[in-house]
Amino acid sequence: MEKSGTLERITFALAPPFHPLNRITNLTNSRIAGRLPKLLINGYPHTRRYNSILSDIQGLLFGLPTKQHPKESPPVGWHPRLIRYVEWEGPPPERWDKSLTPQKGARDAEAGVVLRAKRVAGATQIVFEKEHRESLSPSVSSRVFAQLDFINHAKMKSWVQVLTTPTADTPGTTLILHFDNKRYLIGSLAEGTQRACIQMGARLLKVNEIFITGRTEWRNTGGLMGMILTLADAASSSAAASAEDSKKRALAKGKRLGCIDDVEKMQQLEDEAKREMSSKLNLFSAPNLNYTLATARRFVFRKGMPVSVLEIEAGESQKEGEQDWTPYWADENVKVWAISVLPKSEEASSMPATAVTGRLRPRKRTIDEVYERGEHKMNGNAVSVDTDLTPAERDRLTVKAVVGEMFDSSWRLDALHETPLSQIKLPATMFVRNTDTNKLERYHGPLPGQPLRTGQQPADPNMTVLVRKPWPGALVESLPPTKPRKEALSYIIRNHTQRGKFHPERAVQLKVEKGFKWSQLSSGNSVENQDGETITPDMVLGESKEGGGLAVVDLPDVDYIEPLLARAEWHEQKVMAGVGAFVWICGPGVADDTRLRDFMAEFKHLEHIISSPDYCPNNIALDSAAAATARLRQVDPARYVVPIHQNEPRASTSTLPEGVRVARRGQTIQLEPKVEVQEKDAIAQLNVAQTESETSKEVLQLAAEAQTSIQTASDEAQKWASSLPHGATDAEIVTLGTGSALPSKYRNVSATLLRVPGWGSMLFDAGENTLGQLKRVFPPDELKQVLRELRLIWISHMHADHHLGTVGVIRAWYEEVHGARPLPADADPKTSFDTNNSLAVVSEPAMMSWLAEYRGVEDYGYSRIAPLHLSVAVHARGAKSRLNWFVSPAALAEQGTQGARADMLANNTVLPNFLNLQDIQCVAVKHCHGARAVSITFPSGFKASYSGDCRPSHDFSRIGKGSTVCIHEATFDDELQGDAEAKNHSTTSEALGIAQKMSAKACVLTHFSQRYQKLPIMEHGAGGSDRNGAAAGTETAEAEEESADPEDGLEGPLEDAAASLPDQPSAESASKGPDGTITRSGSGVEAVRFKLDSDMKVCVAFDYMRVKVGEIPQMEKFTPALLKLFEEEEKPTEVEPVEGKKAGKSKKRRNN
């Protein structure tokens, strides 16, 4: 079918060929079970990848129909691998279609549809169909609800509650809309939002829609990834209860299809049944949210939680008279009008092409229907191609497909595929089947290209081993380009109009038979009476009531005020009917603008609530953590302070217009039965004095005795301190986050700041809201100094709880040090690097790729940092770690030969003195793919070693030999040894054993799965632990050997990426002890005794702790006081009896 005009198409480059006759990469090959349709790419037939991200993108782009094929022996197929996105710059081809007619030599007789694709600069061109555009709009069910004038279900009470206001803990404003059957999140999803929800006790399991306001930038979406992971895990736990139902459904369908003996088909049916029963999360945002999520594809992976992101551009606004002001989205509870505006300063020419086309009309088909294989409109033998798709729409579709695979993939962690040994790329876990027992065993034999151990025979390159396929995120190396977008999004949200009360007496008078016809009238349908007359609903129904609603308006700065206030929606009755309140989310200086205040005066009959950093005080939002720290300060005031906060706003609320309120946590806006702002549930500010008054005299007495003991033992402490390197005693360790896996009320996720006098500061990991924790620990002036002296961020591995705060910290550093000014385009980043004002981020390649890709969304300071990859040291080969300036996989792939690649890497090698370090070494540790422990030696000789997350590692103890301080994870208590082994973590005694092995002078224990970890009591003598014998002589677990090639770090999956809450104790904290019996953790207030054969000093970290290395011996003195404090906090408190009920007990304490 001939096409006129410019055809819209997408171009992908494929991986370099592994053989002259096969132009598809050998990096992702595997044996495929069952005959699959074949795809013609670049003139050669190759088996199409099944149930993977590439398959979904191909299906989306190609629209390939599916066919049933006869069963036969499974062939070996090679999968095309999506390497990078390439912009198409050539002229449009004259003919572009997909033919159903067999072509000679193009495919086998039983093969599927053939794609005719032209070769352009070595890339394959791919075409979108016009139906695909509809996936960028709300679903068909939303369209149905949007057209409804009334709802028929019983009236439900609904209200909006303020979860967060702008503070250091919670930078954004978040609201939750409550219905009996659902919840909706509205506003910012900034870092710290999830933890604030935990503090507020907000139940998020019923959340299926999130309406994100404002611009798509990290300060507005930094908490979204963590929130999605938590929601996905919660949904997974809920779905586990219905797993049996899924099996029953699959079994029934298998019987109908006659495939009950086909194991692979039955597994497919079961997966489909699980997806049908799974929850779906719909996200609404300004442009670039799909891209933001897609950048995380290498470390975010969940199954059974479909995520659909609808991005609303400035042009997708209601035109006057169009669609009768139909809402953008609706469901059975609410109607939503989205308002997307650009700042006044933004030129019209900068708007995307879609912005001048007006509103995207709600589609007529669901996304599942659009993506369904084999149901495409045909014109003869050709599929219609949309010639009107803009490049922006094409890119949005591509990225949307990637995001879809991240949260609802059918990839299986336990699926193994036969692969020749010569084609294995490290790191990889390989298995072979024992011919005697027919059981799978780990393969530990030689590998091609690797040095042989003594007595080993060379590897057989043709030997077949079993390996996992790369997970979907590893197949997409780069995304379509994007750029920062300025649209800011607001919403008008209303309940449906409530139909008037049915009056039966009127129906009787009008001779309408009781029963079905009464029901029809109640539902809004006309009927005929006994005389054949038409009776309309308005003849028997009372007056209808407009559903209550509110407008949530986000104004990042004053440039958005005029375009927002000029919108026609504010004066359109079809939109504003029933709206009774405005929530104004304002950036600095916006709330004082006279234009905004004039608007409020015009709508003074409505409620107005302002959430702004100018008027909302920086009070404590995480009451439990702050209260715990206040009590710790009573015990050890030298190490703990009450988190920095202000209970008074920067601007006086007396200057606000009359009747305008300031947002407060817990404040509610009732929507039904009438719109009303209620303050009764607003959270009172933390009363620090009252919290401290609850601490017992016994605890305070023990703390006083510890202070006295410190004074009497000063000579001993000074002797120990004199053995440290020069200046090491003044090095300060600040534990910003000491929890594991998830943020909790009491502990944030991993982050530790190390301040080294004369050198600067560095971060060991930066979990979500690390910046907020810094703001609570340091007063504003000192925080500026900390940011100015920040030199290095080390990220140990790609689990989200260890790095999602990195962008926020870099941005704060960028604004403080460089005034948010990027490096000039003609400047060389390497020669521009200055150890006095530059920042290096050192980690594995996946982390570097994420940071590099995210810079397309916003300028957060990437141009000013040094992105460095540190290779792992391998003792067996005598290989030391090597620092390299990060080179993207795309740049490496462009090098024609392996030698050219090696030269590029060599040219980007930097020495430790580039960072003003004496040495930096890391080793692979057993936790997940890419996990590393690091040891850093500073110019003074001060040496700090950090484990990250891992099982005890002999290699780590080797590179950390002679450390001044070892910071080691101690996720589990000793009696949870089984959990530690199963989840690749360390126990308290194992962590101490490794620190002692490296002859560390001090050890800081962190990363705890419980609120109160068992406190170690040191006993000097023979080394070891008296509990499990798991200390100095503990068995260590080493990681699989990794490739030194930075590109390889992007290949494999995170081994536990699909696990839910991987760092948490098992059910009921049960674990098998050394004797095989089941043990359970106690109350958490006991001590574990540990015998040392050295003078190593130990402390247990809590959030907000500041300790100098020279002071660590003092902290052991406080163990009795801390044990008593924890014991009291664990005691249940009496609950006052309620009339008709008996008095009970509760573990909760006030301010706790």
mmCIF file of all heavy atoms in Angstrom, residues 127 133 211 410 491 596 623 775 856 992 1152:
data_model
loop_
_atom_site.group_PDB
_atom_site.id
_atom_site.type_symbol
_atom_site.label_atom_id
_atom_site.label_comp_id
_atom_site.label_asym_id
_atom_site.label_seq_id
_atom_site.Cartn_x
_atom_site.Cartn_y
_atom_site.Cartn_z
ATOM 1 N N VAL A 127 8.137 0.542 12.161
ATOM 2 C CA VAL A 127 7.013 1.436 11.917
ATOM 3 C C VAL A 127 5.959 1.296 13.011
ATOM 4 O O VAL A 127 5.659 0.198 13.452
ATOM 5 C CB VAL A 127 6.380 1.123 10.544
ATOM 6 C CG1 VAL A 127 5.189 2.022 10.277
ATOM 7 C CG2 VAL A 127 7.415 1.282 9.459
ATOM 8 N N ARG A 133 -1.122 5.055 18.946
ATOM 9 C CA ARG A 133 -1.241 6.380 19.549
ATOM 10 C C ARG A 133 -2.281 6.376 20.666
ATOM 11 O O ARG A 133 -2.141 7.107 21.657
ATOM 12 C CB ARG A 133 -1.623 7.408 18.493
ATOM 13 C CG ARG A 133 -1.928 8.783 19.091
ATOM 14 C CD ARG A 133 -2.544 9.715 18.094
ATOM 15 N NE ARG A 133 -1.520 10.362 17.279
ATOM 16 C CZ ARG A 133 -1.820 11.146 16.247
ATOM 17 N NH1 ARG A 133 -3.073 11.337 15.902
ATOM 18 N NH2 ARG A 133 -0.863 11.719 15.559
ATOM 19 N N PHE A 211 -1.954 10.810 41.068
ATOM 20 C CA PHE A 211 -2.002 12.021 40.245
ATOM 21 C C PHE A 211 -0.873 12.942 40.711
ATOM 22 O O PHE A 211 -0.964 13.582 41.762
ATOM 23 C CB PHE A 211 -3.357 12.708 40.389
ATOM 24 C CG PHE A 211 -4.513 11.875 39.915
ATOM 25 C CD1 PHE A 211 -5.212 11.058 40.796
ATOM 26 C CD2 PHE A 211 -4.899 11.889 38.581
ATOM 27 C CE1 PHE A 211 -6.275 10.276 40.365
ATOM 28 C CE2 PHE A 211 -5.959 11.107 38.136
ATOM 29 C CZ PHE A 211 -6.646 10.296 39.025
ATOM 30 N N SER A 410 6.965 -11.252 32.141
ATOM 31 C CA SER A 410 6.812 -12.697 32.336
ATOM 32 C C SER A 410 8.171 -13.379 32.478
ATOM 33 O O SER A 410 8.254 -14.593 32.499
ATOM 34 C CB SER A 410 6.056 -13.307 31.147
ATOM 35 O OG SER A 410 6.738 -13.032 29.939
ATOM 36 N N TYR A 491 -4.878 19.630 38.885
ATOM 37 C CA TYR A 491 -6.069 18.805 38.665
ATOM 38 C C TYR A 491 -7.290 19.426 39.331
ATOM 39 O O TYR A 491 -7.199 20.070 40.386
ATOM 40 C CB TYR A 491 -5.890 17.394 39.261
ATOM 41 C CG TYR A 491 -4.717 16.626 38.730
ATOM 42 C CD1 TYR A 491 -3.505 16.619 39.414
ATOM 43 C CD2 TYR A 491 -4.819 15.891 37.547
ATOM 44 C CE1 TYR A 491 -2.417 15.908 38.943
ATOM 45 C CE2 TYR A 491 -3.733 15.177 37.065
ATOM 46 C CZ TYR A 491 -2.529 15.199 37.768
ATOM 47 O OH TYR A 491 -1.459 14.489 37.291
ATOM 48 N N LEU A 596 -2.268 36.022 42.527
ATOM 49 C CA LEU A 596 -2.844 34.847 43.168
ATOM 50 C C LEU A 596 -3.823 35.265 44.257
ATOM 51 O O LEU A 596 -4.907 34.682 44.402
ATOM 52 C CB LEU A 596 -1.729 33.979 43.757
ATOM 53 C CG LEU A 596 -2.149 32.632 44.339
ATOM 54 C CD1 LEU A 596 -2.808 31.764 43.278
ATOM 55 C CD2 LEU A 596 -0.939 31.908 44.921
ATOM 56 N N ASP A 623 7.918 11.805 63.432
ATOM 57 C CA ASP A 623 7.876 11.965 64.888
ATOM 58 C C ASP A 623 8.565 10.820 65.615
ATOM 59 O O ASP A 623 9.255 11.037 66.619
ATOM 60 C CB ASP A 623 6.418 12.067 65.363
ATOM 61 C CG ASP A 623 5.629 13.103 64.587
ATOM 62 O OD1 ASP A 623 5.183 12.792 63.462
ATOM 63 O OD2 ASP A 623 5.467 14.220 65.096
ATOM 64 N N LYS A 775 19.777 17.443 56.303
ATOM 65 C CA LYS A 775 19.167 18.689 56.769
ATOM 66 C C LYS A 775 18.703 18.594 58.215
ATOM 67 O O LYS A 775 18.595 19.621 58.897
ATOM 68 C CB LYS A 775 17.981 19.053 55.870
ATOM 69 C CG LYS A 775 18.379 19.482 54.465
ATOM 70 C CD LYS A 775 17.158 19.814 53.621
ATOM 71 C CE LYS A 775 17.568 20.293 52.233
ATOM 72 N NZ LYS A 775 16.377 20.600 51.383
ATOM 73 N N GLY A 856 18.858 13.622 30.991
ATOM 74 C CA GLY A 856 17.941 14.087 29.952
ATOM 75 C C GLY A 856 16.664 14.670 30.512
ATOM 76 O O GLY A 856 16.009 15.487 29.868
ATOM 77 N N LEU A 992 31.388 -8.478 63.092
ATOM 78 C CA LEU A 992 32.511 -8.222 64.000
ATOM 79 C C LEU A 992 33.699 -9.111 63.662
ATOM 80 O O LEU A 992 34.862 -8.693 63.778
ATOM 81 C CB LEU A 992 32.060 -8.450 65.442
ATOM 82 C CG LEU A 992 31.025 -7.450 65.982
ATOM 83 C CD1 LEU A 992 30.503 -7.900 67.336
ATOM 84 C CD2 LEU A 992 31.624 -6.057 66.070
ATOM 85 N N ASN A 1152 5.893 8.035 69.796
ATOM 86 C CA ASN A 1152 6.799 6.941 69.443
ATOM 87 C C ASN A 1152 6.514 6.449 68.053
ATOM 88 O O ASN A 1152 5.414 6.176 67.704
ATOM 89 C CB ASN A 1152 6.630 5.803 70.446
ATOM 90 C CG ASN A 1152 7.858 4.946 70.498
ATOM 91 O OD1 ASN A 1152 8.936 5.393 70.142
ATOM 92 N ND2 ASN A 1152 7.713 3.729 70.943
#
